[in-house]
Amino acid sequence: MIYGAMKFSLGGSLKLAFRPWVEGLENVPAEGPAILASNHLSFSDSFFLPAVLDRKVTFIAKAEYFTTPGVKGRLTAAFFKGVGQLPVDRSGARGAGEAAIKAGIEVIESGGLFGIYPEGTRSPDGRLYRGKPGGLARVALATGAPVIPVAMIDTEKIQPPGKVLPKLMRPGIRIGKPLDFSRYQGMDGDRFILRSVTDEVMYEIMKLSGQEYVDIYATAAKRQMAEAEKAAKEAVKEEIAAREESGA
C-alpha cells in the first residue's frame, strides 16, 4: 500500500514534470521474477525506473538510511521503505556484497523484480564502468532468473553536482531483451563464469546507453580523480608559496 501510494504521488509527479521517454517496456515480464541491471548516473535512477513500470522494483540501500535516529531519520526510513528500497547491513566479514546477494535472492524467490547497479556506484563522469562480478552474476546464477539490461539516459544532467534545483528535461530509459544465463545455473562459485556473465550484461547496457566504456571499476576511477584533484591543489599551493618566497 505504501509503495502504491508513493508510486502514485512521487512517480506521477516525476512523469508529469520530467516526461521521461521509455523504450522496451514490453521486455519486462508482467509477472514472475527478473533482475533489472542498470547503469547508474544519478541518485534519481532508482525513482525514474520504478515510475515507468507497472510492477514494483526492489533496490537495495545501505542500512544507515533506515536506522538513523530522530525525526529526520524516521522520515528518511519511511521514504526509502515507501519507494521499495531494501536495507542492507554492510557489517560482517564480507560486508554489503554478501548482504546484497542474499537480499536479491530473497526478492527473486518471492517472484519479484530485483533492481541492481552492476557498477556498484554512480558513474563519476557519465561513462560506463566495469561491472562488479559479485552481486548481479551470483544472484542470476543462484536463481536462474533472467537478467534485463537497462540504460538510463541523461539522468545525470537533471541535477549535476553543486546544483540545488533540478533542471526540467526529459531523461530516457531503454530496456533491453532478457538475457538467459540458466546454462550457468549453480556455477556461482566459478569466478571466470561470474566475470563472463557480468561482462555480457555490461556490453548490452553499453549498446543500449551509447556510453563510452571504461575497463576499470568506478570506485577506482573516483579514487584516481580525488587523488588527481588533491595533487593539483597541492601543486597550486606550492606554486603560490614559491612566488611569495621569491617576492614575485
Side-chain angles (χ1 to χ4, degrees):
M1 291 178 63
I2 296 177
Y3 183 89
M6 292 291 290
K7 180 176 174 60
F8 178 78
S9 58
L10 178 60
S13 299
L14 285 175
K15 289 196 289 185
L16 181 63
F18 295 95
R19 298 181 300 116
W21 55 265
V22 191
E23 296 176 359
L25 272 177
E26 69 278 4
N27 292 321
V28 180
E31 58 182 23
I35 301 168
L36 298 175
S38 174
N39 60 339
H40 199 13
L41 297 172
S42 168
F43 176 76
S44 63
D45 294 337
S46 298
F47 305 121
F48 277 114
L49 181 56
V52 301
L53 298 178
D54 293 331
R55 297 182 60 188
K56 177 181 178 180
V57 184
T58 301
F59 287 92
I60 54 175
K62 58 184 180 181
E64 289 88 336
Y65 286 144
F66 300 82
T67 58
T68 303
V71 176
K72 183 178 180 181
R74 289 195 295 271
L75 290 174
T76 300
F79 173 78
F80 277 96
K81 288 178 182 177
V83 296
Q85 303 279 329
L86 197 65
V88 170
D89 185 358
R90 300 184 299 175
S91 63
R94 300 183 68 177
E98 290 299 318
I101 293 165
K102 180 180 178 181
I105 291 174
E106 290 176 352
V107 172
I108 293 300
E109 289 181 342
S110 69
L113 294 179
F114 177 59
I116 188 170
Y117 301 112
E119 292 168 280
T121 186
R122 280 175 278 175
S123 170
D125 55 11
R127 296 186 293 177
L128 183 68
Y129 285 84
R130 193 181 198 202
K132 293 189 174 183
L136 166 65
R138 286 182 59 187
V139 172
L141 300 190
T143 63
V147 178
I148 302 173
V150 177
M152 307 301 295
I153 312 291
D154 291 336
T155 53
E156 82 282 10
K157 298 177 182 178
I158 291 176
Q159 192 170 14
K163 296 293 183 180
V164 177
L165 296 176
K167 179 181 179 181
L168 289 178
M169 58 174 291
R170 296 190 71 188
I173 303 172
R174 288 197 183 99
I175 304 172
K177 294 185 181 300
L179 303 174
D180 180 12
F181 296 108
S182 59
R183 61 191 183 279
Y184 298 131
Q185 191 169 357
M187 301 175 68
D188 50 310
D190 188 320
R191 62 188 181 92
F192 295 106
I193 295 295
L194 296 178
R195 181 76 265 163
S196 177
V197 168
T198 305
D199 287 345
E200 183 174 339
V201 174
M202 297 309 295
Y203 179 71
E204 293 301 320
I205 294 175
M206 181 187 70
K207 289 196 300 182
L208 290 169
S209 69
Q211 290 171 280
E212 176 185 349
Y213 179 75
V214 186
D215 196 24
I216 62 172
Y217 294 124
T219 49
K222 288 183 176 180
R223 185 168 57 250
Q224 292 173 5
M225 291 176 184
E227 291 172 351
E229 183 179 358
K230 182 179 179 181
K233 289 180 178 179
E234 291 296 327
V236 170
K237 288 181 181 179
E238 291 176 3
E239 183 178 351
I240 292 174
R243 288 183 178 180
E244 290 177 347
E245 186 176 342
S246 63

